[in-house]
Amino acid sequence: MIRVLGVDSGGSGLRIALGTAPHGRPEAVRTAGAVRTGEPVRTGARGIEADHLLAQVVPAARALLAEAGGPGPLDAVAVGAAGMATLGGDLRARLPAALRDALGVGRLALAADAVIAYAGALGRRRGAVVAGGTGLIALGTDLATWRRADGWGHLLGDCGGGAWIGRAGLEAALRAYDGRRGGSAALLARAEAALGPAPGLPGLLYPRTDRAAVLASFAPEVAACAGHDAVAAGILAAAAGHIAEAAAAACPPSGDCRIALTGGLFGIGEPLVGPVRAELAERLPHAPLVAAAGDPLAGALLTAAALAAGAPHLPLDPRLLSVSHP
């Protein structure tokens, strides 16, 4: 048996799992233990901070190894991180040697969070995956190259993602507080119940380094109002349009394309998933929407197991999926 580690680093924290698989059968990888942290990895002047990720991953990995029968080298590790494509320079420079020294890692895959989401949802099949959580990105492949849409962060994009929905909901709440058009009394009531008096919202949000996660925490409140509030329903309808647009841009241009939705965003249920389904049927009538086989953490384990068996099962790309043998 081989032992591998998968890491899913997102806007709301990290999930780390230890997995085992028979030699030569990466698709049979199974989770042997998992932990979750509540603190997102910090982003600084050098991008995603390697030291902060290592401070969370290494102790968790050692604990998982101890629970599974004792310390020992890992055959491969796959780290999927939100922002890897544009902010992953520090991780690429420092993680290979650091994980080798700390955990005896034989092979390391560094991936964008959308890549491990794709691996978990569709495995080695052509298509497109929309990964929605605090942010949103669509990624597609014909198994030779990647096509990416959005994933530009909550200030420049991530349209239709959790922070986008939450920000739109809070804007509607403040419009209601001011008495401006486009406001929602229902969302104002939800905002004040969840976050405090309306005038205090800027002071609550602007200084925080995790403000995207705080914004995203309001997305379920928007969904809860959508059944009886036209403004909330309109926000989710607009989000669905952005999500379908990203999926269409990421689909391979020729041949079959199946689409999967993955990530915590879609856990808010039918108020969002229903409009997304309708938008996809209109824009991409020949691309079936299929259930995701697994989540991004399962995709990280599968990516690590495939690397331990010889090579990743999805296309390499300098920004989206790279491997090293420290």
Side-chain angles (χ1 to χ4, degrees):
M1 301 289 285
I2 60 171
R3 294 199 298 181
V4 297
L5 194 77
V7 178
D8 174 21
S9 173
S12 302
L14 285 88
R15 297 188 301 152
I16 304 154
L18 179 68
T20 60
H23 281 283
R25 293 184 58 204
E27 72 284 352
V29 65
R30 295 291 182 267
T31 301
V35 295
R36 179 191 293 268
T37 73
E39 184 180 8
V41 177
R42 292 191 296 263
T43 299
R46 294 178 297 178
I48 304 166
E49 295 184 1
D51 282 340
H52 194 216
L53 184 143
L54 287 164
Q56 298 181 69
V57 168
V58 171
R62 286 173 173 161
L64 288 170
L65 286 165
E67 291 172 7
L74 290 162
D75 294 281
V77 173
V79 176
M84 178 72 77
T86 52
L87 299 170
D90 195 37
L91 298 186
R92 296 186 191 94
R94 303 191 52 209
L95 255 57
L99 289 175
R100 177 199 62 205
D101 294 343
L103 300 172
V105 174
R107 300 181 179 191
L108 173 66
L110 295 177
D113 56 339
V115 170
I116 60 170
Y118 192 104
L122 293 181
R124 187 175 170 77
R125 295 189 293 171
R126 57 179 289 138
V129 167
V130 180
T134 298
L136 188 128
I137 185 172
L139 198 65
T141 183
D142 58 4
L143 303 182
T145 59
W146 291 103
R147 294 170 64 90
R148 166 188 167 164
D150 211 339
W152 300 118
H154 74 287
L155 294 178
L156 297 176
D158 286 356
C159 299
W164 187 96
I165 292 171
R167 192 213 61 81
L170 290 173
E171 179 190 345
L174 291 174
R175 284 179 173 274
Y177 181 82
D178 291 342
R180 290 180 288 149
R181 288 187 302 172
S184 164
L187 289 172
L188 175 59
R190 290 272 184 171
E192 294 199 316
L195 299 171
L201 291 179
L204 172 68
L205 286 167
Y206 293 157
R208 294 184 65 145
T209 57
D210 64 341
R211 60 182 171 271
V214 178
L215 289 170
S217 72
F218 195 64
E221 304 292 341
V222 178
C225 291
H228 59 271
D229 183 79
V231 173
I235 291 170
L236 294 186
H242 287 304
I243 291 167
E245 185 178 55
C251 267
S254 60
D256 64 317
C257 178
R258 57 187 57 81
I259 298 171
L261 308 176
T262 187
L265 174 66
F266 299 106
I268 64 179
E270 194 62 19
L272 177 63
V273 175
V276 169
R277 191 184 300 115
E279 287 281 350
L280 288 172
E282 181 177 342
R283 294 171 186 250
L284 298 165
H286 304 298
L289 181 63
V290 301
D295 67 5
L297 188 58
L301 286 175
L302 178 59
T303 300
L307 180 58
H313 58 303
L314 290 169
L316 294 177
D317 179 277
R319 290 184 177 272
L320 295 174
L321 177 60
S322 61
V323 300
S324 63
H325 305 275

